[in-house]
Amino acid sequence: MRHRSSEWFGRKDRDGFIHRSWMKNQGIPDDLFDGRPVIGICNTWSELTPCNAHFRVLADHVKRGVYEAGGFPLEFPVMSLGETLMRPTAMLFRNLVSMDVEESIRANPIDGVVLLAGCDKTTPALLMGAASCDLPSIMVSGGPMLNGKFRGKDIGSGTDVWKLSEDVRRGVIDECDFLEAEGCMNRSRGHCMTMGTASTMASVVEALGIGLPTNAAIPAVDSRRYVLAQMAGRRIVEMVREDLRMSRILTYEAFKNAIRVVAAIGGSSNAVIHLLAIAGRIGVRLNLDDWDRLGRDVPCLVNLMPVGKYLMEDFYYAGGLPAVIRELGDLIHREAITVNGKTIGENTSEAPCHNRDVIHSLSDPVHSSAGLAVLRGNLCPDGAIIKPAAATAALMKHRGRALVFETIEAFNSRIDDPNLDVDESSVLVLKNCGPRGYPGMPEVGNMPLPTKLLQKGVTDMVRISDARMSGTAYGTVVLHVAPEAAIGGTLALVQEGDMIELDVEARRLDLDVTESEIERRRNAWVSPKPPADRGYYRLHHDHVLQADRGADLDFLVGASGTVVTRESH
Ligand code: FES
């Protein structure tokens, strides 16, 4: 079988000389150019992405496997996305990284790819970019950190930041206690160890079949994570020889499996936009309503923060994702093929569960119905989502007076005001935090509660925005309202004192204002100015799709394959 890389390395002419000769300056022997599969190792290592800071070592283990199987590994960097440092939000750059990945793969002599991802946005960005090329590909996730430990108790990255900071505002702990927790929470290599977005997306990778079994949960510092990386290196060489491309794995059935797994693990709401965007690249017609339809009756089986009490390390020791997939039985399309060449059913049919308090059975779930609910109504004609498992049951049907914030800065400047006109029945409405408006749809939808209500002991309120929320967060939070405020969605027209009705059971979210008044407000609405005149911000502003379409750039939906006909010299 003649591989794609032979177009570069398999020639005796001047261009073949150029392609090989400069590579030899790295000390590469002749026989590595003999037509064997060339495996790209796409690395999001960066010291600015602490969750991915161990990836140079991980890549070395992938390389061992590639060499063992007779391949030629070549590691290449792409832009990395660190959730905790990047402003205005790492999500703004997910699509940019996907372009970097796609073009890096296509432009180079690569036959198959191992994708190394960890921190939240790195996983969807790499899958999106690779899907637009559709070569044989395996993702290796970086693995979660060990459990946080603070004063004898386990604490979870993200989830306990929100809890501890609310405790400071309530006066339960002081600033010294709060800062002491800093070094105790994130104490080993790896990504957030709650069932936040990174762990959810690592589970999605396994559920889609684009990662090897056990990919989701092995801690980053556990030697078995490095064995997994080596096995991925061996396997990708075989996949190239078998021509097992992404499009044979990322089928509609695989996406259905992933949606059900996200429900069963109590996974992050961010998975919605990421899976919609990945599906758009590989040509699978997935839509927002699939999330409600497929996840609606799936129980939550995994007792992990933020919806439960344990962390990813416990999840791995309890059996990890294979045990969950086995437990889901017929809710899973068991014939879906995975990167190891076996079906997901074959991979999980014997998977043991070692701790039923961490991974519950179908007959004794953590929550009986855990899927994300998709809401419709005049406030969100193109949809909005809520995660019922992380919400307060008593607020799932609620009518309240809107307290409106035009921006997150306006929210931050008013929320601690003791004279704020708010009570526990109020509905907090935040605008201009959508894909175009912020820009990049930040994780601010889980707005902190007003201080005066926190001090009264209020623990939850209905909150509505066009933003996302961290997968580690919780509360009765309506997210991803579409169309967003910045393009003139009804959300932009909500005024202080308007009544809003939420009915999760009926899947409704409505602004109780007459149609004629909404129309009057719409005619008076003025579109905000773009955030920048040039550069990526401008490109993003002009082309980003709404949340219900995965917030991809409109011209990136679909694939361009890997054929490049023109030479460089
Ligand atoms: Fe990187 Fe949470 S900050 S995964």
Side-chain angles (χ1 to χ4, degrees):
M1 179 176 185
R2 187 175 162 84
H3 302 301
R4 178 175 182 264
S5 58
S6 298
E7 296 294 322
W8 282 259
F9 295 144
R11 294 160 53 176
K12 299 275 189 281
D13 59 5
R14 185 197 62 182
D15 288 324
F17 177 103
I18 292 170
H19 297 319
R20 287 183 302 271
S21 176
W22 267 259
M23 291 296 285
K24 287 180 177 177
N25 79 354
Q26 301 177 82
I28 297 169
D30 270 338
D31 58 356
L32 290 190
F33 299 101
D34 63 2
R36 67 187 69 198
V38 175
I39 305 300
I41 302 172
C42 177
N43 201 338
T44 48
W45 168 85
S46 167
E47 289 179 342
L48 291 167
T49 307
C51 308
N52 298 14
H54 57 303
F55 280 18
R56 300 302 310 281
V57 180
L58 203 62
D60 284 342
H61 286 263
V62 174
K63 284 180 195 170
R64 286 187 195 177
V66 172
Y67 282 125
E68 283 166 352
F72 175 15
L74 291 168
E75 182 184 351
F76 64 96
V78 288
M79 182 181 177
S80 192
L81 300 175
E83 201 62 33
T84 52
L85 297 182
M86 294 189 86
R87 293 179 176 176
T89 168
M91 177 63 190
L92 174 62
F93 307 106
R94 183 199 65 179
N95 301 333
L96 178 62
V97 173
S98 78
M99 291 169 79
D100 183 353
V101 172
E102 176 182 348
E103 302 305 340
S104 294
I105 293 173
R106 183 182 301 115
N108 281 297
I110 290 173
D111 301 312
V113 196
V114 178
L115 306 162
L116 301 186
C119 198
D120 295 8
K121 307 302 175 294
T122 55
T123 298
L126 267 55
L127 289 176
M128 289 161 70
S132 287
C133 293
D134 194 21
L135 285 177
S137 306
I138 294 184
M139 180 163 274
V140 177
S141 300
M145 290 183 269
L146 298 176
N147 291 4
K149 297 279 180 188
F150 180 52
R151 297 180 176 172
K153 282 197 189 140
D154 282 2
I155 54 170
S157 39
T159 303
D160 276 293
V161 177
W162 319 128
K163 284 195 175 133
L164 290 165
S165 63
E166 299 279 270
D167 284 349
V168 174
R169 294 175 67 224
R170 271 192 200 102
V172 176
I173 60 170
D174 65 21
E175 199 180 72
C176 287
D177 298 324
F178 181 63
L179 295 179
E180 188 186 325
E182 220 175 76
C184 307
M185 182 172 288
N186 303 310
R187 64 190 182 92
S188 80
R189 297 295 200 194
H191 60 68
C192 289
M193 81 309 262
T194 41
M195 189 50 84
T197 304
S199 301
T200 301
M201 292 308 295
S203 301
V204 159
V205 165
E206 195 171 328
L208 284 171
I210 202 71
L212 290 170
T214 72
N215 172 75
I218 307 173
V221 295
D222 192 307
S223 54
R224 288 164 287 188
R225 173 66 57 189
Y226 297 90
V227 173
L228 184 93
Q230 189 167 339
M231 293 303 144
R234 289 184 191 172
R235 178 60 194 152
I236 189 66
V237 177
E238 293 170 1
M239 283 174 70
V240 170
R241 292 184 176 129
E242 294 164 11
D243 200 26
L244 181 54
R245 290 168 185 261
M246 284 183 95
S247 53
R248 283 184 53 206
I249 293 166
L250 299 183
T251 60
Y252 185 47
E253 283 65 37
F255 282 95
K256 285 194 208 170
N257 286 345
I259 288 174
R260 288 190 164 134
V261 161
V262 170
I265 61 177
S268 165
S269 53
N270 285 319
V272 176
I273 47 173
H274 297 326
L275 274 171
L276 289 169
I278 297 162
R281 297 295 186 94
I282 204 78
V284 167
R285 295 173 83 87
L286 195 70
N287 63 51
L288 186 59
D289 292 321
D290 286 330
W291 280 89
D292 201 312
R293 188 173 59 78
L294 295 165
R296 197 166 199 151
D297 300 320
V298 179
C300 177
L301 304 179
V302 176
N303 191 8
L304 257 60
M305 294 182 202
V307 301
K309 66 176 180 181
Y310 292 103
L311 293 166
M312 288 298 284
E313 194 182 339
D314 309 304
F315 184 42
Y316 179 55
Y317 304 147
L321 201 71
V324 177
I325 293 174
R326 179 184 181 184
E327 190 63 33
L328 285 173
D330 292 342
L331 288 168
I332 290 291
H333 287 275
R334 306 196 84 74
E335 299 309 312
I337 199 85
T338 73
V339 283
N340 69 358
K342 297 184 182 153
T343 67
I344 197 156
E346 289 168 335
N347 285 340
T348 56
S349 62
E350 305 289 321
C353 173
H354 305 295
N355 187 336
R356 279 291 174 209
D357 198 33
V358 178
I359 302 171
H360 286 223
S361 64
L362 268 179
S363 56
D364 176 31
V366 181
H367 295 280
S368 53
S369 174
L372 291 155
V374 176
L375 309 171
R376 303 272 175 182
N378 69 352
L379 195 45
C380 54
D382 292 338
I385 62 166
I386 186 168
K387 185 174 172 182
T392 301
L395 290 173
M396 302 290 264
K397 186 171 168 63
H398 183 79
R399 180 180 165 86
R401 195 167 50 96
L403 179 61
V404 177
F405 304 93
E406 295 294 326
T407 63
I408 189 67
E409 290 78 16
F411 173 87
N412 289 334
S413 68
R414 288 176 66 200
I415 200 64
D416 291 329
D417 182 350
N419 298 317
L420 195 66
D421 182 15
V422 65
D423 62 33
E424 52 267 56
S425 71
S426 301
V427 174
L428 306 183
V429 175
L430 174 62
K431 304 178 183 178
N432 295 308
C433 292
R436 187 192 283 191
Y438 196 68
M441 212 182 170
E443 295 184 334
V444 296
N446 54 316
M447 293 162 257
L449 303 187
T451 304
K452 70 186 242 188
L453 296 183
L454 275 178
Q455 287 166 346
K456 277 174 60 185
V458 175
T459 54
D460 197 8
M461 294 170 73
V462 175
R463 290 159 270 179
I464 298 171
S465 73
D466 45 13
R468 297 176 300 115
M469 81 171 175
S470 164
T472 63
Y474 49 87
T476 309
V477 183
V478 176
L479 303 156
H480 306 191
V481 167
E484 64 174 297
I487 65 166
T490 313
L491 185 67
L493 314 176
V494 181
Q495 294 182 356
E496 204 118 321
D498 287 348
M499 295 305 288
I500 290 179
E501 282 198 31
L502 169 69
D503 186 342
V504 177
E505 182 61 32
R507 300 301 197 252
R508 296 290 305 179
L509 180 67
D510 289 292
L511 178 66
D512 191 3
V513 169
T514 62
E515 269 310 305
S516 58
E517 173 60 12
I518 290 176
E519 213 38 50
R520 189 192 66 74
R521 293 181 192 177
R522 201 179 301 283
N523 291 334
W525 178 77
V526 179
S527 171
K529 271 179 47 182
D533 293 335
R534 62 168 298 283
Y536 178 70
Y537 271 59
R538 183 68 206 226
L539 183 77
H540 182 274
H541 173 273
D542 292 351
H543 292 281
V544 71
L545 297 167
Q546 289 295 284
D548 63 305
R549 299 200 47 208
D552 201 358
L553 302 185
D554 52 11
F555 61 87
L556 290 176
V557 175
S560 300
T562 53
V563 175
V564 186
T565 52
R566 289 191 145 165
E567 258 298 0
S568 55
H569 292 87

